[in-house]
Amino acid sequence: MSNAYITDVQPQRAADSAARLNEDWLAVILGLAIFILALAALVNVDLIGWVVSTSVWNNFDHALGPASKGYASLGGIGALIATYAALTIVLSAGAAALKANVTRFALAFTAVFWIAYASWIIGNYANFAAVTPAEEQKFGISWSLKLTNEGAYIFALLAGLIIANFLPRFAAAIKEAVRPELYIKIAIVILGGFFAVTAAGKLGFASSILLRGVAAIVEAYLIYWAVVYYIARKWFGFSREWSAPLAAGISICGVSAAIAVGGAVRARPVVPVLVSSLVVVFAVVEVLILPFLAQTFLAHEPLVAGAWIGLAVKTDGAAVAAGGITESLILAKNAAEGIHYQPGWILGTAATIKVFIDIFIGIWAFVLGYIWTNHINVTRDADKTKAREIWERFPKFIIGFVITFIAGLYLALGTPADIAKNVPAAIGEANTFRVIFFILTFFSIGVLSNFRTLWQEGFGKLAAVYVVSLFGFVVWVGLLISWIFFNGVTPPLAS
Amino acid sequence: MSDFTHQSDLREELRNAPVEPLLPIEKKLIAWSLGIGLTLLVVLAVINHVFPIGS
């Protein structure tokens, strides 16, 4: 990340922390609001069916449409404008609650939304996204990159990367609305309901997957962190102040872990910020490579692929979104071979692994903080780590994920049949918003990834630790452990 | 923080950082962390084998 990003973002984040609401709680509120509005469809009141949905296309007239047939009169462009207007109003209100500059946010969000969504539409062009021979025949095309429609996230990411690396002034101008953490957290809250509907039909199977999330916690905190910390300290000679957040960023959950551990070991604020910038850049590299490797080598082990992505890709945004791409690629490859898996399980596994890891960030930060303030940099009592920091560092958006998951499960399994049958369609509308927040996340991650300035600032040594740890250890151990716990387990077949 | 980024280059900061040898408490943290982690993984792998994921 460039100096511009670091120096400009800090006042913004400072303002955020001064606000009554933080991004985590805002994500919970907005995610739950979308979920609740979607549930009105259970009593045949369609409140959000106007949200725009994109299909694979070779005639632009057929690219866009509202999610619900009840709003067909809006047309595709009408639905797109309605979605833009609604998101701008709601997110601007959220920006106001975060004490951000609302006018600047609304203008920046306008650019973010239209560029990101335009990239998504381009990525859904038939020659990029069509997968099966039947689809190629349907669209009258002789070739396709077979990236699937969710592969279009890559187009949003590339658009962001182009802006970050070739139009830095524009990137700086729209930074107020470049908030990948906010967008992915809203998406994860909505995802809880979607995953519940997927899991409802196979509850035993889903609970088995949830229980295996424990292995991910053990791996990320106790094995990855210790090894990466040792590598940073012993092989690369980094100080403790740098090594602890660096190990957290590489091994646990990217940005939030680096910041939490940086605070716990009382590192200067710049340390986790610089580590976070590195995490984002490498997450981009992982998103561009790992889903395609998973499709090539793990297509017949779909849940190994999902767990691996959840363990290997750092930052919530990149990991969960990469889980979406991986699912799409693997389902497409299997579909071409005549195997039709139920969608939702690969993405659900990746997201579950990530959520389980996130839950313990506060506890790990507390453990390290206790050791640092009592044994390494012994501080006076008032400055020692307090147990309440566990709650302060707890990622609150997970509460939203759990609420929508439990509510979705109850609605699918505990309500009369005439209500339960409408649940998938209702959650499906909320899920359309989830896709839009994924698109915004991908674009935002791209905009924050200025590769050129990273090298100018002398990031080489930090990056070397990252490369050695990530590609020499984290990726492979993650694959091994995913294999141990998920090999031979396949998602249910689509009915 | 902006003082850091504007006045002293990161490269200089890293080059001039004093050498900090691993303290016994750090070695203990790494060893315990790995020990508990590997033990738990073996236990979980056994549980996974005994109670495989249902279909």
Side-chain angles (χ1 to χ4, degrees), chain A residues 4 8 20 22 37 52 61 63-64 105 107 124 141 253-254 263 268 272 302 324 329 354 392 399 437 488 495:
Chain A
D8 291 344
R20 275 179 232 157
N22 62 22
L37 289 175
V52 70
D61 291 344
L64 303 172
F105 177 87
L107 290 172
N124 270 279
I141 56 176
C253 188
R268 288 165 296 163
L329 291 171
K354 208 71 199 154
E392 287 168 4
I399 296 170
F437 282 110
S495 49

PDB file of all heavy atoms in Angstrom, chain A residues 4 8 20 22 37 52 61 63-64 105 107 124 141 253-254 263 268 272 302 324 329 354 392 399 437 488 495:
ATOM      1  N   ALA A   4       0.351   7.201   0.392  1.00  0.00           N
ATOM      2  CA  ALA A   4      -0.905   7.944   0.307  1.00  0.00           C
ATOM      3  C   ALA A   4      -2.006   7.177   1.031  1.00  0.00           C
ATOM      4  O   ALA A   4      -2.768   7.742   1.801  1.00  0.00           O
ATOM      5  CB  ALA A   4      -1.289   8.147  -1.155  1.00  0.00           C
ATOM      6  N   ASP A   8      -3.563   8.582   4.414  1.00  0.00           N
ATOM      7  CA  ASP A   8      -4.926   9.052   4.243  1.00  0.00           C
ATOM      8  C   ASP A   8      -5.931   8.203   5.000  1.00  0.00           C
ATOM      9  O   ASP A   8      -6.963   8.681   5.418  1.00  0.00           O
ATOM     10  CB  ASP A   8      -5.306   9.054   2.754  1.00  0.00           C
ATOM     11  CG  ASP A   8      -4.534  10.109   2.002  1.00  0.00           C
ATOM     12  OD1 ASP A   8      -3.975  10.995   2.674  1.00  0.00           O
ATOM     13  OD2 ASP A   8      -4.476  10.041   0.769  1.00  0.00           O
ATOM     14  N   ARG A  20     -19.742   6.312  17.310  1.00  0.00           N
ATOM     15  CA  ARG A  20     -20.376   5.386  18.241  1.00  0.00           C
ATOM     16  C   ARG A  20     -20.428   3.981  17.653  1.00  0.00           C
ATOM     17  O   ARG A  20     -20.385   2.987  18.334  1.00  0.00           O
ATOM     18  CB  ARG A  20     -21.793   5.872  18.532  1.00  0.00           C
ATOM     19  CG  ARG A  20     -21.834   6.907  19.643  1.00  0.00           C
ATOM     20  CD  ARG A  20     -23.271   7.348  19.857  1.00  0.00           C
ATOM     21  NE  ARG A  20     -23.355   8.812  19.814  1.00  0.00           N
ATOM     22  CZ  ARG A  20     -24.444   9.479  19.533  1.00  0.00           C
ATOM     23  NH1 ARG A  20     -25.547   8.854  19.230  1.00  0.00           N
ATOM     24  NH2 ARG A  20     -24.451  10.785  19.532  1.00  0.00           N
ATOM     25  N   ASN A  22     -19.022   1.054  14.935  1.00  0.00           N
ATOM     26  CA  ASN A  22     -17.878   0.730  14.089  1.00  0.00           C
ATOM     27  C   ASN A  22     -18.354  -0.105  12.903  1.00  0.00           C
ATOM     28  O   ASN A  22     -19.527  -0.448  12.793  1.00  0.00           O
ATOM     29  CB  ASN A  22     -16.777   0.032  14.896  1.00  0.00           C
ATOM     30  CG  ASN A  22     -17.254  -1.293  15.463  1.00  0.00           C
ATOM     31  OD1 ASN A  22     -18.204  -1.894  14.966  1.00  0.00           O
ATOM     32  ND2 ASN A  22     -16.595  -1.755  16.506  1.00  0.00           N
ATOM     33  N   LEU A  37     -35.752  -7.788   5.519  1.00  0.00           N
ATOM     34  CA  LEU A  37     -36.584  -7.326   4.399  1.00  0.00           C
ATOM     35  C   LEU A  37     -36.875  -8.473   3.437  1.00  0.00           C
ATOM     36  O   LEU A  37     -37.984  -8.607   2.916  1.00  0.00           O
ATOM     37  CB  LEU A  37     -35.877  -6.184   3.662  1.00  0.00           C
ATOM     38  CG  LEU A  37     -35.794  -4.845   4.402  1.00  0.00           C
ATOM     39  CD1 LEU A  37     -34.964  -3.847   3.612  1.00  0.00           C
ATOM     40  CD2 LEU A  37     -37.186  -4.277   4.646  1.00  0.00           C
ATOM     41  N   VAL A  52     -30.874  -5.867  -8.592  1.00  0.00           N
ATOM     42  CA  VAL A  52     -30.447  -6.312  -9.925  1.00  0.00           C
ATOM     43  C   VAL A  52     -29.683  -7.627  -9.862  1.00  0.00           C
ATOM     44  O   VAL A  52     -28.917  -7.880  -8.937  1.00  0.00           O
ATOM     45  CB  VAL A  52     -29.588  -5.221 -10.617  1.00  0.00           C
ATOM     46  CG1 VAL A  52     -28.228  -5.069  -9.939  1.00  0.00           C
ATOM     47  CG2 VAL A  52     -29.417  -5.521 -12.095  1.00  0.00           C
ATOM     48  N   ASP A  61     -29.249  -6.883 -23.921  1.00  0.00           N
ATOM     49  CA  ASP A  61     -30.648  -6.736 -23.478  1.00  0.00           C
ATOM     50  C   ASP A  61     -31.038  -7.816 -22.470  1.00  0.00           C
ATOM     51  O   ASP A  61     -31.970  -7.637 -21.688  1.00  0.00           O
ATOM     52  CB  ASP A  61     -31.589  -6.817 -24.688  1.00  0.00           C
ATOM     53  CG  ASP A  61     -31.442  -5.601 -25.582  1.00  0.00           C
ATOM     54  OD1 ASP A  61     -30.854  -4.601 -25.112  1.00  0.00           O
ATOM     55  OD2 ASP A  61     -31.882  -5.663 -26.740  1.00  0.00           O
ATOM     56  N   ALA A  63     -28.804  -9.225 -20.286  1.00  0.00           N
ATOM     57  CA  ALA A  63     -27.792  -9.346 -19.229  1.00  0.00           C
ATOM     58  C   ALA A  63     -28.355  -9.079 -17.839  1.00  0.00           C
ATOM     59  O   ALA A  63     -28.015  -9.768 -16.879  1.00  0.00           O
ATOM     60  CB  ALA A  63     -26.634  -8.391 -19.515  1.00  0.00           C
ATOM     61  N   LEU A  64     -29.204  -8.069 -17.755  1.00  0.00           N
ATOM     62  CA  LEU A  64     -29.642  -7.620 -16.424  1.00  0.00           C
ATOM     63  C   LEU A  64     -31.134  -7.845 -16.223  1.00  0.00           C
ATOM     64  O   LEU A  64     -31.910  -7.852 -17.185  1.00  0.00           O
ATOM     65  CB  LEU A  64     -29.354  -6.117 -16.265  1.00  0.00           C
ATOM     66  CG  LEU A  64     -27.909  -5.676 -16.455  1.00  0.00           C
ATOM     67  CD1 LEU A  64     -27.818  -4.158 -16.455  1.00  0.00           C
ATOM     68  CD2 LEU A  64     -27.034  -6.263 -15.368  1.00  0.00           C
ATOM     69  N   PHE A 105     -18.381  10.335   0.517  1.00  0.00           N
ATOM     70  CA  PHE A 105     -18.653   8.899   0.430  1.00  0.00           C
ATOM     71  C   PHE A 105     -19.613   8.612  -0.719  1.00  0.00           C
ATOM     72  O   PHE A 105     -19.391   7.701  -1.520  1.00  0.00           O
ATOM     73  CB  PHE A 105     -19.255   8.367   1.743  1.00  0.00           C
ATOM     74  CG  PHE A 105     -19.613   6.909   1.656  1.00  0.00           C
ATOM     75  CD1 PHE A 105     -18.672   5.931   1.945  1.00  0.00           C
ATOM     76  CD2 PHE A 105     -20.871   6.502   1.209  1.00  0.00           C
ATOM     77  CE1 PHE A 105     -18.979   4.582   1.816  1.00  0.00           C
ATOM     78  CE2 PHE A 105     -21.190   5.154   1.079  1.00  0.00           C
ATOM     79  CZ  PHE A 105     -20.239   4.193   1.393  1.00  0.00           C
ATOM     80  N   LEU A 107     -20.298  10.311  -3.422  1.00  0.00           N
ATOM     81  CA  LEU A 107     -19.667  10.497  -4.735  1.00  0.00           C
ATOM     82  C   LEU A 107     -18.708   9.342  -5.027  1.00  0.00           C
ATOM     83  O   LEU A 107     -18.698   8.777  -6.130  1.00  0.00           O
ATOM     84  CB  LEU A 107     -18.908  11.834  -4.774  1.00  0.00           C
ATOM     85  CG  LEU A 107     -19.797  13.085  -4.781  1.00  0.00           C
ATOM     86  CD1 LEU A 107     -18.954  14.342  -4.615  1.00  0.00           C
ATOM     87  CD2 LEU A 107     -20.611  13.146  -6.084  1.00  0.00           C
ATOM     88  N   ASN A 124     -19.468 -11.401 -17.137  1.00  0.00           N
ATOM     89  CA  ASN A 124     -20.547 -12.353 -17.411  1.00  0.00           C
ATOM     90  C   ASN A 124     -20.801 -12.538 -18.908  1.00  0.00           C
ATOM     91  O   ASN A 124     -21.746 -13.232 -19.292  1.00  0.00           O
ATOM     92  CB  ASN A 124     -21.838 -11.895 -16.719  1.00  0.00           C
ATOM     93  CG  ASN A 124     -21.952 -12.459 -15.311  1.00  0.00           C
ATOM     94  OD1 ASN A 124     -22.343 -13.596 -15.106  1.00  0.00           O
ATOM     95  ND2 ASN A 124     -21.547 -11.663 -14.332  1.00  0.00           N
ATOM     96  N   ILE A 141     -21.774 -19.549 -29.529  1.00  0.00           N
ATOM     97  CA  ILE A 141     -20.347 -19.228 -29.522  1.00  0.00           C
ATOM     98  C   ILE A 141     -19.536 -20.522 -29.663  1.00  0.00           C
ATOM     99  O   ILE A 141     -19.998 -21.599 -29.290  1.00  0.00           O
ATOM    100  CB  ILE A 141     -19.922 -18.483 -28.239  1.00  0.00           C
ATOM    101  CG1 ILE A 141     -20.310 -19.299 -26.993  1.00  0.00           C
ATOM    102  CG2 ILE A 141     -20.520 -17.099 -28.188  1.00  0.00           C
ATOM    103  CD1 ILE A 141     -19.848 -18.690 -25.680  1.00  0.00           C
ATOM    104  N   CYS A 253      -5.798 -14.250  10.170  1.00  0.00           N
ATOM    105  CA  CYS A 253      -6.848 -13.718   9.310  1.00  0.00           C
ATOM    106  C   CYS A 253      -6.511 -12.316   8.857  1.00  0.00           C
ATOM    107  O   CYS A 253      -7.257 -11.380   9.048  1.00  0.00           O
ATOM    108  CB  CYS A 253      -8.168 -13.713  10.047  1.00  0.00           C
ATOM    109  SG  CYS A 253      -9.517 -13.298   8.961  1.00  0.00           S
ATOM    110  N   GLY A 254      -5.331 -12.193   8.289  1.00  0.00           N
ATOM    111  CA  GLY A 254      -4.955 -10.971   7.622  1.00  0.00           C
ATOM    112  C   GLY A 254      -5.074  -9.706   8.433  1.00  0.00           C
ATOM    113  O   GLY A 254      -4.525  -9.600   9.530  1.00  0.00           O
ATOM    114  N   GLY A 263      -1.965  -4.313  18.369  1.00  0.00           N
ATOM    115  CA  GLY A 263      -2.412  -3.588  19.562  1.00  0.00           C
ATOM    116  C   GLY A 263      -2.045  -4.333  20.829  1.00  0.00           C
ATOM    117  O   GLY A 263      -1.631  -3.731  21.831  1.00  0.00           O
ATOM    118  N   ARG A 268       3.827   0.018  17.476  1.00  0.00           N
ATOM    119  CA  ARG A 268       3.407   1.318  16.965  1.00  0.00           C
ATOM    120  C   ARG A 268       2.328   1.095  15.909  1.00  0.00           C
ATOM    121  O   ARG A 268       2.383   0.102  15.167  1.00  0.00           O
ATOM    122  CB  ARG A 268       4.602   2.045  16.333  1.00  0.00           C
ATOM    123  CG  ARG A 268       5.617   2.555  17.331  1.00  0.00           C
ATOM    124  CD  ARG A 268       6.901   2.907  16.627  1.00  0.00           C
ATOM    125  NE  ARG A 268       7.502   1.716  16.028  1.00  0.00           N
ATOM    126  CZ  ARG A 268       8.446   1.757  15.092  1.00  0.00           C
ATOM    127  NH1 ARG A 268       8.880   2.914  14.640  1.00  0.00           N
ATOM    128  NH2 ARG A 268       8.956   0.646  14.613  1.00  0.00           N
ATOM    129  N   PRO A 272       1.147  -2.660  12.249  1.00  0.00           N
ATOM    130  CA  PRO A 272       0.052  -3.457  11.668  1.00  0.00           C
ATOM    131  C   PRO A 272      -0.511  -2.874  10.385  1.00  0.00           C
ATOM    132  O   PRO A 272      -0.990  -3.620   9.532  1.00  0.00           O
ATOM    133  CB  PRO A 272      -1.006  -3.481  12.779  1.00  0.00           C
ATOM    134  CG  PRO A 272      -0.624  -2.437  13.745  1.00  0.00           C
ATOM    135  CD  PRO A 272       0.853  -2.228  13.626  1.00  0.00           C
ATOM    136  N   PRO A 302     -14.231 -31.563  -3.596  1.00  0.00           N
ATOM    137  CA  PRO A 302     -14.738 -30.185  -3.495  1.00  0.00           C
ATOM    138  C   PRO A 302     -14.608 -29.581  -2.096  1.00  0.00           C
ATOM    139  O   PRO A 302     -14.283 -28.390  -1.964  1.00  0.00           O
ATOM    140  CB  PRO A 302     -16.217 -30.317  -3.874  1.00  0.00           C
ATOM    141  CG  PRO A 302     -16.335 -31.623  -4.580  1.00  0.00           C
ATOM    142  CD  PRO A 302     -15.270 -32.513  -4.026  1.00  0.00           C
ATOM    143  N   GLY A 324     -16.207 -18.445  -3.165  1.00  0.00           N
ATOM    144  CA  GLY A 324     -17.285 -18.337  -4.158  1.00  0.00           C
ATOM    145  C   GLY A 324     -16.790 -18.684  -5.553  1.00  0.00           C
ATOM    146  O   GLY A 324     -17.443 -19.432  -6.297  1.00  0.00           O
ATOM    147  N   LEU A 329     -16.151 -22.586 -10.089  1.00  0.00           N
ATOM    148  CA  LEU A 329     -15.257 -23.284 -11.027  1.00  0.00           C
ATOM    149  C   LEU A 329     -15.382 -24.803 -10.874  1.00  0.00           C
ATOM    150  O   LEU A 329     -15.427 -25.542 -11.859  1.00  0.00           O
ATOM    151  CB  LEU A 329     -13.806 -22.854 -10.790  1.00  0.00           C
ATOM    152  CG  LEU A 329     -13.449 -21.405 -11.164  1.00  0.00           C
ATOM    153  CD1 LEU A 329     -12.039 -21.069 -10.669  1.00  0.00           C
ATOM    154  CD2 LEU A 329     -13.536 -21.199 -12.667  1.00  0.00           C
ATOM    155  N   LYS A 354     -13.337 -19.775   7.899  1.00  0.00           N
ATOM    156  CA  LYS A 354     -12.879 -18.402   8.140  1.00  0.00           C
ATOM    157  C   LYS A 354     -13.547 -17.833   9.394  1.00  0.00           C
ATOM    158  O   LYS A 354     -12.915 -17.171  10.211  1.00  0.00           O
ATOM    159  CB  LYS A 354     -13.228 -17.545   6.920  1.00  0.00           C
ATOM    160  CG  LYS A 354     -12.302 -16.401   6.711  1.00  0.00           C
ATOM    161  CD  LYS A 354     -10.960 -16.889   6.237  1.00  0.00           C
ATOM    162  CE  LYS A 354      -9.888 -15.864   6.448  1.00  0.00           C
ATOM    163  NZ  LYS A 354      -8.571 -16.480   6.585  1.00  0.00           N
ATOM    164  N   GLU A 392     -13.658  -6.622  23.203  1.00  0.00           N
ATOM    165  CA  GLU A 392     -13.450  -5.448  22.346  1.00  0.00           C
ATOM    166  C   GLU A 392     -12.922  -5.847  20.973  1.00  0.00           C
ATOM    167  O   GLU A 392     -13.226  -5.219  19.965  1.00  0.00           O
ATOM    168  CB  GLU A 392     -12.473  -4.476  23.016  1.00  0.00           C
ATOM    169  CG  GLU A 392     -13.102  -3.734  24.191  1.00  0.00           C
ATOM    170  CD  GLU A 392     -12.081  -2.983  25.050  1.00  0.00           C
ATOM    171  OE1 GLU A 392     -10.881  -2.969  24.692  1.00  0.00           O
ATOM    172  OE2 GLU A 392     -12.490  -2.452  26.088  1.00  0.00           O
ATOM    173  N   ILE A 399     -21.631 -12.212  15.021  1.00  0.00           N
ATOM    174  CA  ILE A 399     -22.928 -12.302  15.708  1.00  0.00           C
ATOM    175  C   ILE A 399     -24.054 -12.256  14.673  1.00  0.00           C
ATOM    176  O   ILE A 399     -25.024 -13.015  14.737  1.00  0.00           O
ATOM    177  CB  ILE A 399     -23.073 -11.141  16.720  1.00  0.00           C
ATOM    178  CG1 ILE A 399     -22.007 -11.292  17.820  1.00  0.00           C
ATOM    179  CG2 ILE A 399     -24.473 -11.090  17.307  1.00  0.00           C
ATOM    180  CD1 ILE A 399     -21.894 -10.086  18.724  1.00  0.00           C
ATOM    181  N   PHE A 437     -22.329  -7.322  -2.775  1.00  0.00           N
ATOM    182  CA  PHE A 437     -21.299  -6.926  -1.792  1.00  0.00           C
ATOM    183  C   PHE A 437     -19.981  -7.654  -2.057  1.00  0.00           C
ATOM    184  O   PHE A 437     -18.907  -7.120  -1.790  1.00  0.00           O
ATOM    185  CB  PHE A 437     -21.798  -7.151  -0.359  1.00  0.00           C
ATOM    186  CG  PHE A 437     -22.742  -6.069   0.089  1.00  0.00           C
ATOM    187  CD1 PHE A 437     -24.090  -6.322   0.276  1.00  0.00           C
ATOM    188  CD2 PHE A 437     -22.274  -4.775   0.300  1.00  0.00           C
ATOM    189  CE1 PHE A 437     -24.958  -5.316   0.668  1.00  0.00           C
ATOM    190  CE2 PHE A 437     -23.134  -3.761   0.694  1.00  0.00           C
ATOM    191  CZ  PHE A 437     -24.483  -4.029   0.873  1.00  0.00           C
ATOM    192  N   GLY A 488     -12.516 -37.365   0.438  1.00  0.00           N
ATOM    193  CA  GLY A 488     -13.562 -38.357   0.209  1.00  0.00           C
ATOM    194  C   GLY A 488     -14.957 -37.865   0.539  1.00  0.00           C
ATOM    195  O   GLY A 488     -15.941 -38.567   0.312  1.00  0.00           O
ATOM    196  N   SER A 495     -30.779 -32.027  -6.534  1.00  0.00           N
ATOM    197  CA  SER A 495     -31.924 -32.893  -6.871  1.00  0.00           C
ATOM    198  C   SER A 495     -32.520 -32.459  -8.207  1.00  0.00           C
ATOM    199  O   SER A 495     -32.328 -31.364  -8.659  1.00  0.00           O
ATOM    200  CB  SER A 495     -32.965 -32.808  -5.769  1.00  0.00           C
ATOM    201  OG  SER A 495     -33.228 -31.471  -5.457  1.00  0.00           O
TER     202      SER A 495
END
